[in-house]
Amino acid sequence: METIRKLTGPGGEFELREEDVLGARLPVFAGRARSLGEVLTRSVSYGDRDYLVTASRRMSFAEHAAAVASMAKALRDDLGVRPGDRIAINAANSPEWIVSFWATIAVGGIAVGYNAWWAPREIEYALGHTDPKVVIADEKRAALISEDVLTIEKDVPSLMARYPDARFEIPEVAEDDPAVILYTSGTSGRPKGAVHSHRNLTSVIEYHRFNDAMMAAFGMDPSTRRYLLALPLFHIACLHNLAVPRLATGTAVILHEGGFDVDRVLGLVERERVTNWGAVPTMAHRMVEHGDLSKYDLSSLTAFSLATAPSSPAFKARLQTAFPPAKGGLVDSYGLTESCTAISTATPADLAEAPGTLGRPTIGVQLEIRDAGNRPVPEGVEGEVCVRSAYNMIGYWRDPEATARAFDEDRWMHTGDIGVIEQGRLRLTTRRSDLIIRGGENVYPAEIENVLAEYTGVRECIVIGAPHPDLGQEVAAVVVANGPPPSPEDLAAFARERLAYFKVPTRWHITADPLPRNATGKVLRKQVEEAVS
């Protein structure tokens, strides 16, 4: 398209050119900021415009900058935080979460987003793994943490106001220095910390600015956009692809606090004239089941996207019937925590022309389907989805072996997902081996199996995903007892003490029969799934 060529060609505002990135030649945006600190400093120019809005509060860009500068000075001067130190945030969504994130950036630290649904054992592992200088938590999560914390409710507001005349003193960083660590469930039983650099995040910002420029080219004013943030901030969907880029573009983030409630969320959309909303299929399903939504004025909502979990063409059709903003504005996407942003996005036209596909690669993303020998295959042939871009994480925190498995020597990232290219669009045929996606949260069976194996009286077990009408999948466990069979209630209580609630099995099959295995001793997972379905 001519518009894209002008924007991304030589001299264009979003010129793409090849540069060396961690030993590979990759397409990069020439005009990107060189650090998130630079993005933060520039945001002051947006002044009194809304940045963060909740049901009861409003924070302008100027107020946000003052709060961040004050908290950064307190972290540096009073708490001794130095560049490269980790600051962990374990809390539900709030403006203080976002201020804490940017204050970490302002002192040259690395912001670590902990999953706010973790159980104490998972939190203890992450504390040892990332060794944070400071831990910030809301009171609910602070009660689960064994060491001193700064509370979201009291301490963070105090630090935000402690130095009202503070100015930014942001240390210099290299583009490929770590800026953020977000955890993703581990295939081998431990969460892995995906490390995202300043370059990763500033590249994501340019991707969103490019999308805004495309809107402007078609006569739409991106400065009037108002974005609903209703997913957890410890995910890339809302941190990397909403809170961060909107600080750069000067557009409002409408922050929903608390659990998802259809009436509260749609009331917020109506009152704040939200224009853009990215949801998980479980949210969309609850709206479809909610009943008549016509009592809400949703005319401002012109873009509605689904992410983090697959959804069928049949469900998308139901959604478009029940939820008017999804008619013409619905998009779907595919991405990973490791990819920082969408690997591909399906536009309304894509969904109409090729239902079930996930669109074409995001600008700046190189995508190939590869065979078992790591060789690219032609269009129409199934294989592993491999991607390379300036968005991809730099690696896993303190896990060189996992990093080496994820990347080959040319910085191609192996997703583990199986797919095929059809007329330039990506279609996934199998998500990562054994992965369960429950309400948008990734659940790896190995982690749960390792916990259940610790229970006295469990000889062996296997965890599988079972279809669920609301969540997409629920977690099911087949447990082989060694002696008197344990009760599902006892097993669930045992798991609940050690795992986040969404990982605890809700369906149990307890038996004395050994699990079926092949000649090499591997459990025949498909056979188990068929037997208990």
Side-chain angles (χ1 to χ4, degrees):
M1 180 187 285
E2 181 65 15
T3 302
I4 296 176
R5 189 192 65 77
K6 287 182 178 179
L7 288 171
T8 62
E13 184 179 359
F14 301 95
E15 177 184 347
L16 279 171
R17 65 186 183 203
E18 282 200 347
E19 291 183 5
D20 286 319
V21 179
L22 299 174
R25 296 289 291 178
L26 298 179
V28 298
F29 290 105
R32 68 193 180 280
R34 266 42 181 186
S35 73
L36 288 175
E38 186 178 326
V39 174
L40 176 60
T41 302
R42 291 177 182 174
S43 72
V44 178
S45 67
Y46 295 121
D48 293 333
R49 288 162 65 170
D50 285 343
Y51 175 41
L52 302 175
V53 179
T54 72
S56 59
R57 291 189 288 167
R58 201 170 294 271
M59 180 181 285
S60 70
F61 284 88
E63 289 167 337
H64 174 263
V68 169
S70 173
M71 185 170 178
K73 181 175 175 61
L75 291 172
R76 181 180 60 249
D77 295 354
D78 302 344
L79 298 173
V81 176
R82 296 293 176 260
D85 284 345
R86 273 77 61 205
I87 294 181
I89 309 173
N90 187 14
N93 287 1
S94 69
E96 287 76 18
W97 202 114
I98 296 173
V99 170
S100 298
F101 168 83
W102 284 111
T104 302
I105 297 300
V107 295
I110 302 171
V112 188
Y114 286 1
N115 188 313
W117 295 327
W118 275 343
R121 189 162 93 163
E122 294 166 303
I123 297 169
E124 287 299 317
Y125 169 75
L127 290 170
H129 184 228
T130 45
D131 188 25
K133 176 77 172 182
V134 173
V135 179
I136 297 169
D138 56 30
E139 291 174 350
K140 179 179 178 181
R141 278 87 188 174
L144 306 177
I145 298 174
S146 61
E147 56 188 67
D148 292 338
V149 304
L150 297 177
T151 63
I152 286 284
E153 291 83 355
K154 295 179 181 178
D155 296 324
V156 172
S158 174
L159 299 183
M160 288 165 54
R162 181 173 295 180
Y163 297 105
D165 298 322
R167 295 291 181 265
F168 291 130
E169 299 177 30
I170 300 174
E172 290 188 11
V173 296
E175 278 198 88
D176 295 311
D177 282 350
V180 184
I181 300 173
L182 294 183
Y183 278 90
T184 182
S185 295
T187 54
S188 60
R190 288 290 195 185
K192 293 182 292 189
V195 183
H196 303 142
S197 67
H198 287 265
R199 184 198 301 273
N200 293 154
L201 272 294
T202 58
S203 298
V204 172
I205 287 169
E206 289 305 288
Y207 162 57
H208 285 280
R209 290 186 62 244
F210 167 78
N211 287 341
D212 288 352
M214 289 291 291
M215 288 173 51
F218 287 96
M220 294 175 280
D221 182 1
S223 69
T224 62
R225 303 274 102 179
R226 295 173 72 80
Y227 293 79
L228 181 68
L229 193 162
L231 295 172
L233 280 160
F234 52 80
H235 284 318
I236 63 166
C238 278
L239 183 60
H240 296 21
N241 290 276
L242 212 170
V244 168
R246 294 310 143 197
L247 189 84
T249 59
T251 34
V253 173
I254 313 304
L255 179 65
H256 171 65
E257 297 178 287
F260 182 75
D261 176 272
V262 173
D263 291 309
R264 287 181 58 217
V265 169
L266 295 187
L268 188 61
V269 169
E270 179 181 65
R271 288 192 305 276
E272 291 298 335
R273 307 302 294 158
V274 167
T275 61
N276 293 62
W277 179 8
V280 296
T282 297
M283 292 178 174
H285 178 85
R286 290 178 184 174
M287 285 194 295
V288 169
E289 297 298 318
H290 188 71
D292 184 18
L293 304 176
S294 62
K295 64 180 178 179
Y296 296 103
D297 178 5
L298 304 176
S299 58
S300 63
L301 192 59
T302 55
F304 183 82
S305 62
L306 292 173
T308 78
S311 54
S312 69
F315 173 72
K316 290 186 178 78
R318 287 181 62 205
L319 175 63
Q320 289 172 324
T321 299
F323 189 56
K327 289 179 176 176
L330 179 64
V331 301
D332 204 351
S333 64
Y334 161 63
L336 316 170
T337 301
E338 292 86 345
S339 67
C340 273
T341 194
I343 290 171
S344 66
T345 301
T347 65
D350 290 323
L351 295 176
E353 295 170 16
T357 63
L358 290 161
R360 293 176 170 81
T362 296
I363 187 167
V365 170
Q366 299 171 335
L367 187 153
E368 292 183 350
I369 305 298
R370 296 190 171 189
D371 63 18
N374 200 29
R375 296 177 295 265
V377 298
E379 184 165 307
V381 178
E382 189 179 75
E384 183 180 15
V385 179
C386 297
V387 294
R388 190 167 71 158
S389 77
Y391 311 118
N392 284 350
M393 68 169 186
I394 58 178
Y396 293 112
W397 182 256
R398 292 179 176 170
D399 198 339
E401 292 182 0
T403 301
R405 289 193 298 270
F407 291 98
D408 64 25
E409 59 185 11
D410 294 321
R411 291 295 297 175
W412 283 93
M413 188 171 74
H414 291 248
T415 67
D417 292 334
I418 306 301
V420 63
I421 299 296
E422 301 173 349
Q423 297 183 326
R425 299 182 179 96
L426 174 65
R427 181 187 297 275
L428 283 190
T429 54
T430 308
R431 288 294 305 236
R432 279 175 282 183
S433 178
D434 305 335
L435 177 67
I436 301 167
I437 304 181
R438 179 200 178 279
E441 288 290 329
N442 289 353
V443 179
Y444 282 94
E447 182 179 9
I448 305 164
E449 291 163 357
N450 289 347
V451 166
L452 294 178
E454 298 175 12
Y455 189 93
T456 302
V458 171
R459 178 184 298 166
E460 59 180 344
C461 64
I462 187 171
V463 171
I464 58 177
H468 189 278
D470 182 34
L471 300 169
Q473 287 182 297
E474 64 178 323
V475 182
V478 177
V479 174
V480 179
N482 184 17
S487 71
E489 293 77 16
D490 287 345
L491 287 168
F494 181 83
R496 201 173 293 115
E497 292 176 355
R498 293 159 175 80
L499 296 166
Y501 82 92
F502 63 87
K503 301 176 187 176
V504 177
T506 49
R507 287 179 58 180
W508 297 89
H509 181 76
I510 300 170
T511 179
D513 299 329
L515 296 173
R517 297 179 184 272
N518 63 15
T520 64
K522 184 176 180 181
V523 175
L524 300 172
R525 186 174 293 272
K526 290 294 182 186
Q527 188 173 322
V528 174
E529 291 173 350
E530 291 169 2
V532 301
S533 61

